[in-house]
Amino acid sequence: LVKAGVVDADDVYAHLSPSDDDMVRRRANEVKTRLAAARKIGVINLLASAPPPPDDDDDDALNGFEFAKATPAVSTAPSSAPDPAPEPFEVASCRETDPLDQKLGFLRGCLAAGESETASRLLRRFANLGLDPAEDHSVSDALLRVFALAAEDAYGAVAPAGCGVAISKRGDVLGMEDPGSSSAGDDDENTPTLSAAALDALFALGPYLSRDAAAFAKACRLVRADLATAARLDETDPAFGRSLRKTCEEVIGKTLLPSLSLMFSNASASDELWAAMRLLPATSRFRLYSEWKASFRDDDGDAFVVVVKRDAEGDNDTVDDTMEIKTLRLRRPALVAAARAAESGAKSVMRRLSKDNTREFGRKLAKASHANPLPSLATVTRQIEAYTNMIAPVTDAFKYLTALSFDVLTFVVVELLAEGREKLKDDGQNVSLWLQALATFCGHLARKHARDHYEREVKNEAGIDLGIVLHHLVCALRDDQTIDLLVLREIIARATGSETLEDLSDAQIEAMAGGPILRAEAVSAGGPLFVPARAKARGIARLKDALQRGAPGGEPLTVPLLVLTAQRRRAVAFDGGGLIREGADAAHLKLIASLHDGCQETFALFCQFLETAFPEVDEYTSVVPYITDLVHVHGLEPALAFHAYRPALRRLEPAPEREKDAEAAGAEIADAGSARVTRSTLLRDVSSMLPSDVWRSISPELYLSFWSLAPYDLEPPTQRYESEMERCRVAAEKLEREIARESGAGVSAAAFAESQKQKRKERDRLRELCKSLEKEMAVQEKHVAAVAKRLRIETARFLTDGDALTNRGATVTVFAQRCALPRLALSHADARYCANFVERLHVCRTPWFSTITYLNSIFAMMQHLCFSRTVYEAGRLGTFLHATLSTVRLWKDDADGAFIRDCENSVGFAMRPSEGDTGKKATREDFYKLAHKWHVRVGKAFINCLEETEYMTVRNSLAVLTRVTSEFPATKRVGAHILRAAEKIQKTDTRRDLKTVAARYLAMLTKAKVNWVSEHGFNPHHPMDAKELEQKAAQERKKQAAERAARDAETKEKARAAPKRDGGGGRGGASRGAADAGVDKAKADAKEKGAALSAGAREFTPTKAPGAAPRSARDRDRNVRAAPAASDGG
């Protein structure tokens, strides 16, 4: 009747029951009941399986015994077991139907009769009241039919190739082609495929589109086609393109995503939805995920809201003050029940997941997350924050997730990083455990499941988009959130298999000056971050792609991350990284130092990655800004700018030797983006980086050479190469013996074959590694020889320009301030490089560079350097001091003629630097005294630091001392003072970390104590003290006594042999020869006996005959000396 116009729909609706107010109240009560049931999903009720409580008058029950109660033999009352309580999921997900609801029946009739106008009006009215009519199966089925009819024609153009709809719509030929191809495209490709009727049906259905999987797939494909159309319209009609994209986002947010939650673990449905959502930018997708998450709220909240009433024109929203109309907030308990069920399933899997069953439970976890990835993956991530040992197995189990699930996982991780939780522990000095766990989790995801653009878009592989996480980190750094660099460091380290270790041994530090293969084997081999070569190359390529592409629709992230990391390193000392709490005055220094070290560690790791990812100089300079732009535009310190740009200076050629070679100064040496850079241009740019007063003491050539060279360029670590090659050869030979010895007894043939295969593979890898190391060592030796030749050319003119260098007295001081001290704080390898570079300047006999003045200034400022460093920088200062003291010891002891070869009559040993090579040079005696003075000075500096009460001074001094135990202290007097100071810290200091470090240093010091010498032993020109003189006199006495005893023994042997020699004179030649041989043997025995006497043996005293009168010492000595003569006379 309404369709035919006989009856007006408004007149009919006014007489239908129940009233709108009754419908709203009933819906509110129903939602409350169903939400309460949803909250019980996954909750274990321990009382449900407990026995009933005992009666008060049951004494046996009170005594702890359980007896069966007597029951009558015949029951007079009918017994019927109560119906079991329904499951909470069924209560929460099923709607209570009311057969007397005439208004809902009226809506069903309109939809069945095809009265679309009245049905639309009723649907809008119910939605304004907060009701959910599509939850009724009859209504949803009718709406699904409406959508199928409305989308029938449009779907034929976007249907997959080969299906019946595509063939009937596009023909036999075009129907077999992909709908995205140009030949199969529609005539009007910029026309939306979703009609108004189809959109109304989809909006009315909401999450209940899930009741028809085919309709869900059709809707996803239609939305994907419209999003592709919107992308094309951005160039021709941007306004219409934005409108069409907004409509598609509404369909996804209101219908498709909620519908996926109510579908039973349908991976294909998830893939269809992702095919449409991948066309949206990440910001739009994450906004839709946030709205999807809001629909899972299980709290009752504010059930009613004030109705916003529109005026007659429908333009402005006004609230009628005289009449407050309230409506129900739209809540869908079915979505809440589905989310709680997914959370329960994820928790169940996490309770059973381990590294041994990732295949089985990984599939179960994926099945739980196909329909509801947001609640399930959020639950898993929250548990990972509490249980870090689950990170590795969970990451392995994620390999079965869909592409949509990985995108949701990225949203979950970014949301957890940005939700504003406290990132420090309660002490205000250490990073929270949840942030450490989340950073490690991000690193594992980057290593296992990161995919580049080609793998995601072309090969359709499921994985996370690292560009989104990196874009969030860029935003966090711009917001001064320095502590988020922990996430970046973990991503780079685990994706590329690189490590930045601080507690390195001397052998590892030496190996850091080698090639990439040696560095990887010496530092990362066998470690927790070790990655095979192929996996490492793949991780580097994926991270490179993420940095270059950035977030979808965003800018590249390589330069922002590089610059922001360096800027935060400098700014953290002033703003505390945004983490310093109010009232923290003493403890915040430790936090600032930790943040500063974290920035430096991340910056070094990022630069190392860039050098590996962009091996060619032209490619590297196209990514990294020019060095002056880094300093003047981005505000980086010169030390960090050179560290980042150093790989681009590989083409740096030596300065021209003669005037005719001056054109070499104009040769191209680097590519600064769009412009080629010459040597003269580079020197001019370097001069602009520092104040003009600096160039009165050092030259730009010296400054550029120092900062352009790397540890790889100065000295090849031959010993480390040989050690690693020997290790590989020994391991390969051991595997070869195992392969030949194994017989396969006790194992299956397949297991034996697999074991043999793995061992052969490892053997071949070790042999290939040995060959690679040998080849790399040869290449480096050749390169170092070329650099040495270049330095011999350049050092002759570093400081010879008398017109520019007018302040030669400050040369070594400026060099230390502008070159050595800034660079040694970057890494252990750079600290060792600083010491080696100064040694190379000295060996090359650089004019006007006084080595002893430089060493004197470095040792004089040691106490101040300890105070002004962070903990990690103090360790690097210790590496520098160890290398410097090692060089001083080498020259002092003249090992292998080092002093005569390198120091004698050298310009570096000029006593007066202002006189240059013409002045007086330090002799070896002078250098002995200087080395002793420096040793005492350094000892006093560290003793003063250890006796301080300020935390950073004590901690830094211990960090330096632990690196130099093999070189310092070297004398007993200085060592005793330092030992007492360290023991005092270990026994009396209340700070536990200082006590731990002091105990470690004491153990190292005790081990090195046996090598300490006296002051005179360190410096032969130092006078001996009384104790040393007494010890020397005692040693002389023992030596003389030993020599006298040896002489006496030899004399007695001669006396015994004389009579035999005289009595055998008449014998034949044979007898005389035998006698002579006996005498020779006796002499040899006597000599051997005398040589074996110890210097500490007792003085020889002849024995006294029984009854003889005692003799004086003089008589005894005379008789002993006269004994040989008496024997000869007899």
Side-chain angles (χ1 to χ4, degrees):
L1 294 177
V2 172
K3 182 179 181 180
V6 177
V7 179
D8 185 50
D10 293 335
D11 296 338
V12 175
Y13 187 84
H15 296 283
L16 298 180
S17 63
S19 63
D20 289 352
D21 293 339
D22 292 340
M23 293 175 66
V24 169
R25 281 194 294 268
R26 187 179 64 185
R27 175 66 180 177
N29 294 331
E30 178 189 354
V31 168
K32 185 176 181 180
T33 303
R34 294 170 63 183
L35 289 178
R39 285 192 289 268
K40 296 179 181 178
I41 298 175
V43 177
I44 300 175
N45 187 4
L46 299 178
L47 296 179
S49 58
D55 297 335
D56 294 340
D57 55 352
D58 191 347
D59 296 336
D60 294 331
L62 292 176
N63 292 330
F65 298 95
E66 184 176 356
F67 293 95
K69 294 185 178 181
T71 55
V74 179
S75 176
T76 57
S79 60
S80 60
D83 295 334
E87 292 293 333
F89 181 80
E90 296 179 0
V91 175
S93 58
C94 298
R95 176 184 179 179
E96 298 179 1
T97 59
D98 184 9
L100 301 180
D101 192 339
Q102 297 176 348
K103 293 182 177 178
L104 184 60
F106 184 41
L107 174 61
R108 295 171 185 164
C110 292
L111 290 172
E115 176 54 25
S116 58
E117 182 180 355
T118 304
S120 300
R121 292 172 58 194
L122 290 173
L123 288 171
R124 286 195 299 270
R125 185 177 184 88
F126 289 159
N128 292 334
L129 292 175
L131 306 178
D132 194 10
E135 193 172 9
D136 182 76
H137 282 271
S138 300
V139 175
S140 62
D141 292 343
L143 290 174
L144 287 171
R145 291 192 296 269
V146 172
F147 171 72
L149 291 174
E152 182 177 2
D153 294 337
Y155 180 69
V158 300
C163 68
V165 179
I167 294 176
S168 62
K169 174 66 177 178
R170 302 199 294 265
D172 295 338
V173 178
L174 298 181
M176 300 301 296
E177 297 180 4
D178 186 78
S181 61
S182 58
S183 59
D186 194 3
D187 297 334
D188 191 2
E189 59 181 10
N190 292 335
T191 302
T193 57
L194 282 172
S195 62
L199 289 174
D200 291 341
L202 288 176
F203 289 140
L205 278 167
Y208 309 109
L209 181 64
S210 59
R211 293 171 180 172
D212 190 344
F216 180 86
K218 290 180 181 180
C220 292
R221 292 166 185 170
L222 292 170
V223 170
R224 179 180 59 186
D226 281 356
L227 286 174
T229 302
R232 292 191 298 268
L233 289 173
D234 288 339
E235 299 179 358
T236 59
D237 192 354
F240 183 62
R242 288 193 298 268
S243 176
L244 184 58
R245 185 178 292 106
K246 182 179 180 181
T247 302
C248 294
E249 291 178 5
E250 291 181 1
V251 174
I252 293 174
K254 295 181 179 180
T255 303
L256 297 183
L257 282 175
S259 297
L260 183 65
S261 297
L262 300 183
M263 302 185 75
F264 177 71
S265 188
N266 194 329
S268 299
S270 176
D271 292 338
E272 289 288 349
L273 180 55
W274 172 247
M277 294 191 65
R278 67 192 300 179
L279 302 178
L280 294 174
T283 53
S284 299
R285 296 202 307 268
F286 282 15
R287 179 180 55 81
L288 293 174
Y289 295 152
S290 180
E291 296 174 358
W292 191 17
K293 180 182 177 181
S295 65
F296 297 144
R297 288 177 50 195
D298 58 357
D299 57 325
D300 296 333
D302 190 3
F304 294 93
V305 293
V306 178
V307 173
V308 178
K309 193 175 182 181
R310 296 185 180 274
D311 60 0
E313 299 295 332
D315 296 330
N316 300 321
D317 294 340
T318 59
V319 178
D320 190 351
D321 296 332
T322 60
M323 181 179 61
E324 291 187 357
I325 304 176
K326 290 187 178 181
T327 184
L328 186 66
R329 188 186 301 273
L330 180 61
R331 302 296 302 276
R332 292 189 168 107
L335 294 178
V336 179
R340 294 301 297 265
E343 293 175 3
S344 178
K347 290 179 181 178
S348 177
V349 172
M350 290 292 291
R351 285 194 294 267
R352 296 165 175 82
L353 181 64
S354 67
K355 63 179 181 180
D356 300 325
N357 57 12
T358 55
R359 179 183 296 272
E360 176 186 357
F361 285 95
R363 291 172 176 171
K364 293 182 178 180
L365 181 61
K367 187 176 181 179
S369 64
H370 285 335
N372 285 282
L374 190 52
S376 58
L377 296 179
T379 301
V380 171
T381 309
R382 290 283 188 182
Q383 290 206 10
I384 283 176
E385 292 180 355
Y387 305 100
T388 55
N389 60 330
M390 295 296 296
I391 292 178
V394 166
T395 308
D396 293 337
F398 278 167
K399 60 184 176 182
Y400 300 104
L401 295 183
T402 62
L404 178 63
S405 297
F406 274 117
D407 196 55
V408 171
L409 178 62
T410 308
F411 164 75
V412 170
V413 170
V414 171
E415 186 183 40
L416 291 176
L417 288 173
E419 66 181 357
R421 283 185 290 175
E422 183 61 50
K423 296 181 179 180
L424 294 178
K425 293 182 179 179
D426 294 337
D427 58 4
Q429 300 179 17
N430 299 295
V431 181
S432 297
L433 295 179
W434 71 265
L435 183 57
Q436 296 181 21
L438 200 57
T440 305
F441 180 55
C442 290
H444 279 79
L445 288 177
R447 178 177 176 177
K448 291 277 188 180
H449 302 294
R451 297 293 182 269
D452 57 24
H453 179 78
Y454 177 79
E455 292 171 330
R456 293 193 312 272
E457 301 298 331
V458 180
K459 300 174 67 175
N460 290 326
E461 294 184 6
I464 65 170
D465 186 0
L466 275 180
I468 299 175
V469 181
L470 296 175
H471 179 74
H472 165 75
L473 294 178
V474 169
C475 296
L477 292 176
R478 287 172 177 168
D479 196 31
D480 298 339
Q481 297 297 321
T482 309
I483 200 170
D484 284 359
L485 281 175
L486 175 64
V487 182
L488 177 61
R489 183 164 70 247
E490 286 290 334
I491 289 176
I492 298 175
R494 296 192 180 272
T496 63
S498 304
E499 291 186 83
T500 55
L501 302 178
E502 288 298 324
D503 195 9
L504 295 173
S505 63
D506 294 339
Q508 288 176 317
I509 294 175
E510 183 183 357
M512 295 302 292
I517 301 177
L518 179 63
R519 293 198 301 266
E521 288 299 315
V523 178
S524 301
L529 299 182
F530 176 73
V531 179
R534 292 183 60 184
K536 182 176 182 179
R538 189 164 55 245
I540 291 175
R542 289 169 176 171
L543 184 56
K544 175 183 175 181
D545 177 80
L547 288 170
Q548 290 297 93
R549 292 185 177 274
E555 60 179 356
L557 302 175
T558 306
V559 176
L561 278 176
L562 178 68
V563 171
L564 287 171
T565 304
Q567 289 177 346
R568 293 311 308 159
R569 177 185 181 271
R570 185 175 184 176
V572 71
F574 301 97
D575 59 16
L579 296 173
I580 300 300
R581 300 174 180 175
E582 296 182 2
D585 49 356
H588 78 283
L589 277 179
K590 182 178 179 181
L591 174 62
I592 291 178
S594 177
L595 293 175
H596 186 277
D597 288 335
C599 293
Q600 172 57 38
E601 187 178 3
T602 307
F603 180 79
L605 194 62
F606 192 69
C607 291
Q608 179 182 345
F609 159 75
L610 292 179
E611 185 178 2
T612 307
F614 304 96
E616 298 297 330
V617 175
D618 295 341
E619 186 181 11
Y620 189 89
T621 52
S622 65
V623 176
V624 180
Y626 185 49
I627 186 170
T628 53
D629 294 337
L630 291 174
V631 175
H632 299 305
V633 178
H634 300 293
L636 269 65
E637 303 173 40
L640 299 185
F642 270 107
H643 188 82
Y645 200 73
R646 187 173 298 120
L649 300 175
R650 295 171 185 164
R651 297 179 182 175
L652 193 62
E653 298 295 335
E657 297 187 60
R658 297 175 298 274
E659 293 296 332
K660 66 178 182 179
D661 297 330
E663 62 271 10
E668 295 177 353
I669 58 172
D671 183 0
S674 59
R676 309 295 292 187
V677 180
T678 62
R679 182 180 184 86
S680 57
T681 304
L682 187 59
L683 289 174
R684 185 178 65 253
D685 294 338
V686 167
S687 302
S688 66
M689 295 168 59
L690 297 177
S692 58
D693 293 343
V694 174
W695 309 121
R696 296 171 53 197
S697 302
I698 62 174
S699 64
E701 290 83 358
L702 173 60
Y703 187 80
L704 178 60
S705 295
F706 176 84
W707 284 106
S708 62
L709 294 177
Y712 178 86
D713 303 322
L714 289 187
E715 183 179 3
T718 306
Q719 185 177 358
R720 298 311 311 159
Y721 273 114
E722 294 175 351
S723 176
E724 287 297 324
M725 288 189 290
E726 181 64 21
R727 181 185 65 83
C728 293
R729 280 193 290 265
V730 171
E733 292 173 359
K734 181 180 179 182
L735 286 174
E736 183 68 26
R737 290 193 299 268
E738 291 180 358
I739 292 172
R741 186 171 56 249
E742 288 183 355
S743 60
V747 296
S748 63
F752 176 71
E754 182 65 23
S755 175
Q756 292 281 306
K757 179 180 177 182
Q758 293 296 330
K759 289 183 178 180
R760 290 191 184 95
K761 184 178 180 180
E762 180 64 16
R763 179 201 61 189
D764 296 341
R765 187 191 71 85
L766 290 172
R767 290 177 177 175
E768 187 65 27
L769 177 61
C770 186
K771 295 179 182 179
S772 301
L773 287 171
E774 186 176 2
K775 187 177 180 180
E776 187 180 71
M777 182 178 67
V779 172
Q780 185 176 4
E781 288 176 345
K782 182 179 179 180
H783 174 75
V784 169
V787 173
K789 180 180 178 181
R790 162 189 161 184
L791 283 177
R792 283 194 298 270
I793 297 173
E794 293 182 349
T795 52
R797 291 187 297 274
F798 274 164
L799 301 172
T800 56
D801 188 358
D803 296 334
L805 301 174
T806 59
N807 188 17
R808 295 186 185 276
T811 295
V812 294
T813 305
V814 173
F815 176 80
Q817 293 176 348
R818 298 292 181 176
C819 297
L821 296 181
R823 184 162 183 177
L824 69 85
L826 299 181
S827 67
H828 288 282
D830 285 298
R832 188 181 180 92
Y833 165 84
C834 293
N836 291 340
F837 186 85
V838 173
E839 182 183 0
R840 186 59 59 89
L841 289 179
H842 175 81
V843 171
C844 292
R845 300 178 182 268
T846 306
W848 300 101
F849 187 85
S850 177
T851 307
I852 57 175
T853 306
Y854 164 79
L855 293 174
N856 190 68
S857 61
I858 288 293
F859 293 136
M861 63 178 72
M862 191 56 59
Q863 182 174 354
H864 306 288
L865 292 178
C866 285
F867 174 74
S868 60
R869 302 285 160 177
T870 65
V871 176
Y872 284 0
E873 289 178 348
R876 297 160 195 159
L877 177 62
T879 300
F880 168 76
L881 182 60
H882 179 274
T884 303
L885 290 175
S886 177
T887 303
V888 172
R889 176 182 54 80
L890 186 70
W891 290 341
K892 180 182 73 69
D893 297 340
D894 195 18
D896 298 329
F899 184 87
I900 297 176
R901 182 182 66 250
D902 301 334
C903 305
E904 194 172 42
N905 201 27
S906 172
V907 65
F909 271 38
M911 299 298 290
R912 295 181 179 179
S914 59
E915 297 179 358
D917 198 17
T918 60
K920 180 183 178 182
K921 309 299 190 301
T923 63
R924 189 175 182 187
E925 179 181 352
D926 296 331
F927 191 69
Y928 268 123
K929 296 178 181 179
L930 282 173
H932 183 260
K933 183 185 75 171
W934 293 336
H935 191 83
V936 174
R937 177 178 293 175
V938 173
K940 290 181 179 180
F942 282 118
I943 292 171
N944 292 335
C945 290
L946 292 176
E947 292 176 351
E948 289 282 345
T949 58
E950 206 278 326
Y951 173 84
M952 294 302 298
T953 304
V954 180
R955 180 65 180 87
N956 291 350
S957 61
L958 289 173
V960 175
L961 287 171
T962 53
R963 306 294 311 184
V964 298
T965 51
S966 61
E967 298 291 341
F968 178 87
T971 62
K972 297 178 180 178
R973 184 165 65 93
V974 176
H977 285 288
I978 293 180
L979 186 64
R980 284 194 296 270
E983 287 177 345
K984 182 179 179 182
I985 296 174
Q986 199 269 336
K987 292 179 181 179
T988 62
D989 203 295
T990 58
R991 292 162 287 195
R992 294 184 179 180
D993 53 346
L994 291 183
K995 292 169 71 72
T996 303
V997 179
R1000 178 194 177 195
Y1001 175 63
L1002 283 174
M1004 300 172 66
L1005 201 61
T1006 304
K1007 184 178 180 181
K1009 187 177 180 180
V1010 296
N1011 299 322
W1012 295 350
V1013 296
S1014 63
E1015 303 293 318
H1016 179 75
F1018 187 85
N1019 177 17
H1021 304 281
H1022 189 278
M1024 295 183 181
D1025 55 17
K1027 187 176 180 179
E1028 289 178 328
L1029 291 173
E1030 182 181 352
Q1031 290 177 352
K1032 183 177 181 181
Q1035 290 176 358
E1036 283 293 327
R1037 288 193 298 269
K1038 290 181 181 180
K1039 182 179 180 181
Q1040 293 175 2
E1043 292 175 352
R1044 189 164 53 248
R1047 289 194 304 269
D1048 293 343
E1050 185 178 3
T1051 302
K1052 290 181 66 176
E1053 290 296 332
K1054 289 180 179 180
R1056 293 192 191 99
K1060 295 181 181 180
R1061 185 168 58 249
D1062 294 340
R1067 295 174 181 255
S1071 300
R1072 285 195 302 270
D1076 293 340
V1079 172
D1080 294 339
K1081 185 175 184 303
K1083 289 182 178 181
D1085 293 342
K1087 285 185 177 181
E1088 183 179 357
K1089 183 177 180 181
L1093 290 176
S1094 173
R1098 296 181 179 181
E1099 184 179 357
F1100 171 75
T1101 304
T1103 57
K1104 183 175 65 172
R1111 299 177 181 180
S1112 64
R1114 182 178 180 181
D1115 294 337
R1116 287 197 302 271
D1117 188 61
R1118 185 188 305 114
N1119 292 338
V1120 170
R1121 288 196 298 271
S1127 299
D1128 294 339

